[in-house]
Amino acid sequence: MKYVIALDQGTTSSRALIINKSGQIIGMSQREFTQIFPQEQWVEHDPEEIWNCQKDMMIQVLKDKTLSLNDMAAIGITNQRETTVVWDKNTGLPVYNAIVWQCRRTAKICYSLKEQGFDSLFHSKTGLPLDAYFSGTKVRWILDNVDGAREKAEKGELLFGTIDSWLIWKLTAGKVHVTDMTNACRTLMFNIHTLQWDQELLDALQIPRSMLPEVKSSSEVYGTTDEALFGAEIPIAGIAGDQQAALFGQMCLEKGDVKNTYGTGCFMLMNTGEKAIISEKGLLTTIALNKNGKTTYALEGSIFMGGAVVQWLRDNLNIIEDAPQCDALAEEVKNNGGVYLVPAFQGLGAPYWNMEARAAITGLTRASNKRHICRAALESIAYRSWDVMKIMQEESQIPMKRIKVDGGASRSNILMQFQSDISHSEVIRPKSIETTALGAAYLAGLAVGFWQSMDEIGKIWMEDRVFKPSMSEEERISIYDGWKNAVRKCLS
Ligand SMILES: Nc1ncnc2c1ncn2[C@@H]1O[C@H](COP(=O)(O)OP(=O)(O)O)[C@@H](O)[C@H]1O
Ligand SMILES: O=P(O)(O)OC[C@H](O)CO
């Protein structure tokens, strides 16, 4: 068989990609789906729409390439993490919409658990702060707020899953209920040291264990597609949360390797090897991979606004028509002219952790124009990444000399050069920035012998361009001081 298919189920769109043995993407289909905002700061997806969209993309890309599922050696799944689905085991129907990772409705549940003194228990066992971002309190909300849900869950009739579990349940026509450790470790219910669901955490959250999927490694055969539904029994053989899949797809396999994904938000992950470093400064500790019985950990810095800043210039300020125009305008000025954009549209995360902060554009003069604003917007993405990199270096005590990049906004040369300058490190962009899907494909392909070894896969990764720091130390310090000043104005 010549191909592996990767299903990449993201926050705003679903993609299906066909990958050949040389790691080339020979076909891709992608479609956006509905974002549901029932109230301010609430975000939901329709699980059936997600499934239909993902299935359609799989069928579409096969059709476009005149291939069939029978030509696929395996399926790899990668997904938006934390987003929570609860469904009825008997009917297969969701009892509520999927509650998306961005949804803040469970902040009160988190505060209440903190008041009860559970903060350090969760942090030490899961590597995560008690925050609405993660799945645990979302499941609790569904059990507490959907009519009859708690009774059914206690009778063992409801199942919980992150999007990977939901897709596999559907692909196997309800035969398989699993997840992998990179997803389980984002739920606040999984102990990242014992590698098991943790009863003490489940009790604190009041979630019955019978709802939870079986936790597997990221690379093994979990089941096959249902023949009656798909006309073929193809092994589903790889699962990883999208940021961990990207870390793997970038071949960040050694301790100290770092990748930053510049998508809607930015997610920076550093492989910390076999050691789980518990952060004191707001970084997350997460499982990077569990494969062939070996677990590696990562430190993660999550930045809420990445490429979304560019979308804001396009959709709210209307000063650009598309993302590449932002680069073009920014290139027309030699610096930001003293203008800073602090993208605190949803507060500021690590290292500021100020949820009340609001965005600002500072340093405007009569000479300022949209070119400066475009430049400041791109620079803000790099400044936020550097804020996080600095803590990551401190806490890991590993200096970062180079970072690998991917995601839509890594196409911007001006952003990548500025990232290299401000962080005084090499920024390395691979030829394919679809590293998330590649990561999932590699995990699936390795499990079924489509690829034989990591050595074989390592040869596939290819560099597109390396950005090297070229800014003087004096300038670097001075413009970063300017950024810190601008941030201070947003915090006050
Ligand atoms: N040339 C570009 N310059 C700057 N930002 C870009 C460019 N191309 C795309 N982007 C940004 O990249 C983001 C989309 O990247 P993508 O990796 O597809 O995100 P996601 O997976 O989060 O949906 C958008 O926010 C967009 O503004
Ligand atoms: O779907 P993305 O690419 O925005 O990634 C979402 C993250 O997995 C959330 O933790």
Side-chain angles (χ1 to χ4, degrees), residues 28 34 45 53 101 108 164 167 185 193-194 441 453 479:
M28 170 164 105
T34 318
H45 293 156
C53 177
W101 60 276
K108 273 201 188 131
D164 53 314
L167 294 180
C185 74
H193 311 289
T194 62
S453 67
I479 59 170

Side-chain angles (χ1 to χ4, degrees), residues 1 18 20 141 143 178-179 199 208 287 326 342 346 359 471:
M1 246 158 322
I18 299 176
N20 68 14
W141 189 94
L143 296 184
V178 293
T179 189
Q199 195 57 48
I287 292 180
C326 182
V342 184
Q346 299 149 283
M471 191 178 273

Side-chain angles (χ1 to χ4, degrees), residues 83-98:
T83 297
T84 296
V85 189
V86 175
W87 67 96
D88 188 308
K89 196 177 181 172
N90 301 314
T91 63
L93 296 174
V95 301
Y96 192 75
N97 271 341

Side-chain angles (χ1 to χ4, degrees), residues 8-13 33 43 45 50 77-85 98-103 128 132-136 138 160-165 167 179-188 239-247 259-261 265-270 284-289 298-304 436:
D8 179 357
Q9 205 302 301
T11 311
T12 54
S13 70
F33 57 87
V43 190
H45 293 156
I50 286 200
I77 292 186
T78 181
N79 54 289
Q80 52 166 323
R81 304 166 303 168
E82 300 96 13
T83 297
T84 296
V85 189
I99 304 187
V100 178
W101 60 276
Q102 297 154 321
C103 185
L128 309 172
Y133 177 13
F134 309 105
S135 319
K138 299 181 196 291
F160 151 75
T162 37
I163 295 294
D164 53 314
S165 305
L167 294 180
T179 189
D180 85 309
M181 290 192 202
T182 66
N183 278 293
C185 74
R186 315 290 297 191
T187 61
L188 280 175
I239 313 176
D242 54 9
Q243 303 309 323
Q244 289 97 329
L247 191 72
K259 72 92 198 175
N260 196 16
T261 299
C266 290
F267 294 90
M268 188 182 294
L269 270 75
M270 174 193 264
L284 311 177
T285 310
T286 208
I287 292 180
L289 199 64
L299 271 176
E300 172 172 328
S302 323
I303 298 165
F304 311 134
T436 303

Side-chain angles (χ1 to χ4, degrees), residues 135-179:
S135 319
T137 57
K138 299 181 196 291
V139 182
R140 161 79 174 267
W141 189 94
I142 291 176
L143 296 184
D144 288 349
N145 289 279
V146 174
D147 263 358
R150 182 161 290 284
E151 291 113 71
K152 278 188 154 187
E154 269 152 19
K155 280 196 251 158
E157 290 172 11
L158 296 189
L159 299 178
F160 151 75
T162 37
I163 295 294
D164 53 314
S165 305
W166 172 241
L167 294 180
I168 293 176
W169 175 265
K170 289 295 219 179
L171 284 163
T172 61
K175 289 190 201 73
V176 179
H177 183 219
V178 293
T179 189

